[in-house]
Amino acid sequence: MEKPSYLKDSDDARLFNELRKKVNQRIEAIPENRDIYIQIKAVLLPLIYIGLYFFAVLNAEQQWVYILSFILMGISLVLIYLNLIHEAAHNNIYKSKRLNWMVLHIFDFIGANSYIWKKRHIASHHAYPNVDGWDTDIEQSGLLLIVPWIKAKGIQKYQHRFFFLVYPLYLFNWMFIRDFRDFFDKERVILKTQGRIPVVEKVKMLGYKLFYFFYQIVVPVLFFKVSIGLALGAWFLQVIAASIFALFVLLPLHPLPDNAFPKLDKDNGLPFSWLRHQLEVTNDLRENNWLVRNVLGNFNFHVAHHLFPNYSYMYYNEITEEIEDFAREHNLAYKRFPLITALRKHRDLLRQNANNAYYILEE
């Protein structure tokens, strides 16, 4: 199938070139190399994850210590994703692509698959955000309906009443269903942008999944006398904690009623230029403090990431200032909400979609 194409608009192309020039000048004026702080995290965060694991198994006789350590592993897993995996996929941590590749492969050891996720993120989500049938991040699972102009069916009509039971299972679905379906189900969106997946990557995916389950469950039971119930329970709580934490950060950025879900025309064309598309489908969060800048990987500044993915999140504060001023000057659709407001809006989107009350920009 022919890939979607953005609306050709010379004025918007000129606007983006002007914005890019302003951003580049702003970043070049910063004397320090801030990426060194991410490089420190590339060592520190995996060590925290590993340290929590060994602290858990070596203190397994105290069940509360074991459980708490595994829950904290879930939190650190998300921090590794936000601070390292996401940046490594864009080659933003090191100048060396090989070093970025090595960091990206940490993902394989903590339950996900680095190969297929990078394909999803770069070739699907960044290429066509919020475009049904092309953005894997809004690919329909059957339980929840994200795209407003698709008719809700069956249990989706009640999604606003049970979504809080589904979302804590987010990473279970990612690790044990979504990865496998993307590798082996020929109907999945990822094949439109990726094409045939090499057999060696399928073998590696299965091997890493088995190793993950081995050290998470089997090793504590066989070598540290942890009961099967405790091992499974602590691991389950780890993934639950990670799922809730991850969605708390990720949900407010794209699937909101204020964001467009552009429809393709009969020629697979999109209604917006690339610049306006990124602004229409993405929003920022108002929170801007030490925690979001240094711990959560500046995911509050998501518009900056979609417009300038070649810069690491350490520069998003300045980039966002330029974007906000530029959008105000040229009447562009820049959106920014408080976190709680954005989460409430996402719930509203689920309710509207369940009731088929389509009110998002269609054309």
Side-chain angles (χ1 to χ4, degrees):
M1 183 182 294
E2 184 180 354
K3 294 181 180 180
S5 58
Y6 287 99
L7 180 69
K8 298 292 190 296
D9 189 309
S10 58
D11 289 337
D12 284 357
R14 177 185 54 78
L15 281 177
F16 181 67
N17 286 333
E18 183 180 340
L19 174 61
R20 180 167 52 191
K21 183 177 180 180
K22 289 177 179 290
V23 166
N24 289 341
Q25 290 175 342
R26 179 75 179 270
I27 301 306
E28 289 169 3
I30 298 174
E32 63 176 330
N33 175 22
R34 295 179 182 174
D35 292 336
I36 188 67
Y37 299 110
I38 309 181
Q39 294 166 14
I40 293 172
K41 292 178 187 179
V43 177
L44 182 61
L45 289 176
L47 286 178
I48 290 174
Y49 182 87
I50 295 170
L52 286 167
Y53 174 78
F54 280 104
F55 185 76
V57 297
L58 293 175
N59 294 276
E61 68 278 1
Q62 301 182 65
Q63 294 188 4
W64 71 270
V65 173
Y66 187 87
I67 293 171
L68 179 60
S69 297
F70 265 67
I71 290 174
L72 292 176
M73 283 173 64
I75 301 301
S76 64
L77 182 160
V78 178
L79 296 181
I80 288 171
Y81 168 78
L82 296 176
N83 290 275
L84 304 181
I85 305 303
H86 187 256
E87 292 302 314
H90 291 279
N91 292 310
N92 285 341
I93 301 179
Y94 301 101
K95 293 181 179 180
S96 165
K97 288 188 176 181
R98 179 168 179 79
L99 289 177
N100 286 303
W101 176 87
M102 292 173 64
V103 173
L104 181 65
H105 275 66
I106 295 173
F107 221 20
D108 298 301
F109 292 95
I110 56 178
N113 179 265
S114 61
Y115 173 85
I116 205 67
W117 178 80
K118 184 175 181 178
K119 297 298 182 184
R120 289 187 199 126
H121 188 68
I122 304 296
S124 178
H125 175 63
H126 267 269
Y128 313 109
N130 274 22
V131 178
D132 179 53
W134 292 91
D135 182 0
T136 55
D137 283 9
I138 60 169
E139 191 168 9
Q140 301 309 307
S141 66
L143 289 177
L144 300 178
L145 178 64
I146 300 298
V147 181
W149 42 266
I150 296 178
K151 185 176 179 60
K153 298 178 181 179
I155 197 171
Q156 293 173 346
K157 296 178 181 179
Y158 310 98
Q159 63 182 15
H160 55 298
R161 297 177 181 173
F162 67 81
F163 73 92
F164 60 90
L165 298 175
V166 175
Y167 280 163
L169 304 177
Y170 171 67
L171 289 184
F172 290 101
N173 178 71
W174 185 337
M175 293 176 180
F176 301 111
I177 298 177
R178 186 181 181 190
D179 280 349
F180 285 89
R181 290 180 67 187
D182 279 350
F183 270 96
F184 299 106
D185 187 346
K186 295 181 180 180
E187 301 300 319
R188 298 290 284 176
V189 167
I190 190 65
L191 293 181
K192 295 180 182 179
T193 53
Q194 163 59 26
R196 186 176 179 180
I197 297 173
V199 174
V200 65
E201 292 298 337
K202 297 178 180 180
V203 174
K204 287 165 60 178
M205 186 271 288
L206 292 172
Y208 279 121
K209 296 288 186 185
L210 289 173
F211 177 74
Y212 170 77
F213 191 76
F214 177 74
Y215 82 79
Q216 288 277 337
I217 306 297
V218 178
V219 168
V221 172
L222 291 184
F223 300 101
F224 295 95
K225 309 303 180 184
V226 175
S227 69
I228 294 178
L230 177 59
L232 289 172
W235 171 75
F236 185 80
L237 290 174
Q238 174 194 152
V239 183
I240 290 287
S243 298
I244 295 172
F245 184 26
L247 288 177
F248 198 78
V249 178
L250 300 176
L251 279 179
L253 305 176
H254 289 289
L256 302 187
D258 304 75
N259 295 336
F261 291 79
K263 295 177 70 173
L264 295 167
D265 62 23
K266 59 182 177 61
D267 298 317
N268 251 24
L270 288 161
F272 302 117
S273 67
W274 181 86
L275 170 64
R276 292 185 186 272
H277 184 100
Q278 308 308 315
L279 292 168
E280 291 287 352
V281 305
T282 314
N283 54 266
D284 283 348
L285 299 179
R286 289 199 183 279
E287 285 74 16
N288 182 17
N289 51 49
W290 183 91
L291 179 70
V292 296
R293 288 196 301 271
N294 297 284
V295 178
L296 300 183
N298 256 343
F299 262 69
N300 55 320
F301 293 143
H302 208 58
V303 174
H305 174 62
H306 271 263
L307 290 177
F308 300 97
N310 56 309
Y311 284 115
S312 80
Y313 67 79
M314 296 302 300
Y315 301 95
Y316 286 174
N317 190 36
E318 288 84 356
I319 293 174
T320 299
E321 289 179 359
E322 295 295 332
I323 292 172
E324 196 167 10
D325 290 344
F326 194 82
R328 189 182 304 112
E329 179 183 351
H330 296 280
N331 197 29
L332 297 173
Y334 175 77
K335 299 177 290 294
R336 195 170 184 177
F337 307 111
L339 173 62
I340 300 303
T341 300
L343 290 171
R344 187 171 64 247
K345 284 175 175 290
H346 177 74
R347 180 202 61 195
D348 293 342
L349 175 67
L350 294 179
R351 181 187 296 114
Q352 295 283 345
N353 291 354
N355 296 327
N356 294 124
Y358 177 50
Y359 67 106
I360 293 181
L361 183 62
E362 182 175 354
E363 296 294 344

